[in-house]
Amino acid sequence: MLETRAVWLAYGEDGAWAVEDATLAVRPGEDLCLVGRNGSGKSTLLSALNGGLAPRRGGVVVDGATVGAGRSSRLGAAWAVGLVSQDPESRILGSTVGEDVAFGPRNLGLAPEEVARRVAWALGSVGLADRAAQPCSELSGGQAQRLALASALAMEPPYLALDEVGGELDEGARAGVRALLGKGPLASCGRVRATHDVLDVASATSVAVMAGGRVTWQGSPWDFFCDLDLVAEAGMGGSVPAAWARDLVLSGLPLSLLADPAALARALGPAAAGGIGWCPSAAGPGTAPVDGAGLVLDGVSVTAPSGPVLAGLSLAVPRGAVTLVAGVSGSGKTTAARVAAGLLGPDSGSATLDGAPVRAGAVGIAFQRPEDQTLADSVLTDAMMGPSLPPCDPAGARGRAAAALAAVGLDESLWDRPTWCLSGGQRRRAALAAVVARPSGAYILDEPTVGLDGPGRAAVHAVARSLADGGAAVCVVSHDVGEWLPVADRLALVAGGRTVWEGPAAQGPSSGAFEAAGVRLPLELAVAREAGLL
Ligand SMILES: Nc1ncnc2c1ncn2[C@@H]1O[C@H](COP(=O)(O)OP(=O)(O)OP(=O)(O)O)[C@@H](O)[C@H]1O
Ligand SMILES: [Mg+2]
């Protein structure tokens, strides 16, 4: 059994408590989901499970042995508890994908054949079997996340601590990870997963809610979804899948139906259609004119050492509209975003803003990894950097920064903190605020809601909408298609380095475009289709 016994955790000598008095237990084969608002203490608690952060009080106990301060004991915990951290790229150790996965098993002193077997199994399990020789530096965010999971799996630990491992994955890949964890050798592994995803919670054996550093509730997923206040406390209030989970529980039906849209639509009946709240045919205008104003990529090709990344990709991001760009991991979205922002010169094709070649700095871009862009030593000074630079008036910088930080819902008590002393969701909000604080004609937000709780997501939707309503060209790259389609005017689906469909967002789900791009429909839309609404 993996246990935390009345654990208290803090960062730095005089830091405030990040986790207080947390007691949890996971037995082999159990799957505990840890939920809670951004900054509630989930990642902090997970990092203590494998000895990464030592408790100030209380203890972490693995199969009866307390994880102490001694090096050998901490190493033992690191082997017994495979931690996949929230920022997967921070953990990459090898130069190639295969080397990275082999690193841990080799350190265990395993025979080369056993190392090779584990590497092949782990990479195959996460869908990276054909990428063993690829340099890690060439991986997309979602691929890096799957690599981090493979590296943990290859250690074959009895316990896994997974920190938002589905965050940067597309819907299909998330379902794949959930299925993987519940079967084969992993079914007997004890798992603790921090997540903001309702479907993760629905597939768990138990749930723990954290708020303000404390575990405030523990119980079954059934009891969790029944209690509206609890779901709201966990930052999942107002979500359609959470409402359906509640409907299922109240009807005495299994939560596993959430993994099967056809069965869910049948089980919920007309209630399903009523619950969606957004129906493509009734969706926003989707009529923003594509007249060359805004960002335009035309026939863009980019080739990495291991092969083509973009193969003649064209895309229009008109002013006055939110354009959602979706596609499976590795389809080229982030590379396209870098070209559109003038940060990467294409091998052929062009990127223009309002008809002129795009200049680096002319487009506000929020990177997929917020860690890649926060520069100053506090949240507020970081957000003030953009609006302090010409042509902005530095006198207004503080006001603009404060307005942007408030708009993304970042609590004022955090504004003086260094950005590296924030939770994952808080850091993403800070990075987004720093981008939108600077006035610009175009913005690219790459996976802006990964790791955010429900209220944080709603705040970022509103920010994107208001930038577009103010006349900017807004491009949102996201796997969270279900949540962004109601916000977006336009949709572009990317596959294999090309745009396979582009048009009004409302027409996307019924166009066959998702199938063409290999993108799984989000649950809301899959149910809508089953209910005959698409
Ligand atoms: N390196 C750090 N130094 C100081 N404080 C930190 C550090 N990392 C996190 N914190 C603070 O500790 C508290 C708990 O953060 P933690 O990362 O555990 O939250 P979380 O529940 O994982 O949030 P999220 O959903 O955003 O990932 C927060 O108040 C956060 O600001
Ligand atoms: Mg976290």
Side-chain angles (χ1 to χ4, degrees), residues 197-379:
D197 188 328
V198 167
L199 298 190
D200 283 344
V201 182
S203 69
T205 54
S206 60
V207 186
V209 179
M210 293 195 73
R214 287 187 173 260
V215 177
T216 54
W217 185 88
Q218 294 187 62
S220 71
W222 300 271
D223 291 336
F224 172 76
F225 285 118
C226 265
D227 188 335
L228 288 175
D229 292 339
L230 209 50
V231 172
E233 183 176 333
M236 293 177 172
S239 117
V240 174
W244 285 342
R246 180 179 154 84
D247 290 345
L248 287 174
V249 172
L250 294 180
S251 315
L253 293 165
L255 286 168
S256 58
L257 288 175
L258 286 169
D260 181 347
L264 183 63
R266 277 197 304 278
L268 296 176
I276 292 168
W278 177 79
C279 183
S281 56
T287 50
V290 183
D291 55 6
L295 275 173
V296 177
L297 293 182
D298 188 12
V300 167
S301 293
V302 170
T303 303
S306 58
V309 181
L310 298 182
L313 181 139
S314 297
L315 177 67
V317 182
R319 278 182 175 264
V322 175
T323 300
L324 170 63
V325 177
V328 297
S329 281
S331 54
K333 305 178 301 295
T334 291
T335 308
R338 294 180 62 211
V339 173
L343 301 177
L344 178 68
D347 300 334
S348 60
S350 65
T352 54
L353 175 58
D354 297 335
V358 73
R359 284 180 300 102
V363 176
I365 178 166
F367 293 118
Q368 186 165 0
R369 285 183 79 223
E371 290 77 9
D372 288 344
Q373 73 182 79
T374 42
L375 301 166
D377 57 2
S378 84
V379 168

Side-chain angles (χ1 to χ4, degrees), residues 366-440:
F367 293 118
Q368 186 165 0
R369 285 183 79 223
E371 290 77 9
D372 288 344
Q373 73 182 79
T374 42
L375 301 166
D377 57 2
S378 84
V379 168
L380 182 63
T381 47
D382 198 61
M384 285 172 61
M385 282 175 72
S388 303
L389 298 170
C392 300
D393 174 10
R398 193 182 191 288
R400 287 197 65 92
L405 289 166
V408 298
L410 199 64
D411 195 272
E412 201 168 337
S413 64
L414 300 171
W415 293 7
D416 290 330
R417 286 252 193 110
T419 52
W420 58 89
C421 291
L422 295 176
S423 80
Q426 291 166 343
R427 193 176 307 170
R428 188 168 298 274
R429 294 185 202 216
L432 277 170
V435 171
V436 303
R438 179 171 164 81
S440 178

Side-chain angles (χ1 to χ4, degrees), residues 42-43 86 163-164 423-425:
K42 304 180 296 296
S43 298
Q86 195 165 1
D163 203 350
E164 308 203 19
S423 80

Side-chain angles (χ1 to χ4, degrees), residues 42-56:
K42 304 180 296 296
S43 298
T44 308
L45 190 53
L46 287 189
S47 64
L49 290 182
N50 81 337
L53 193 61
R56 300 284 169 86

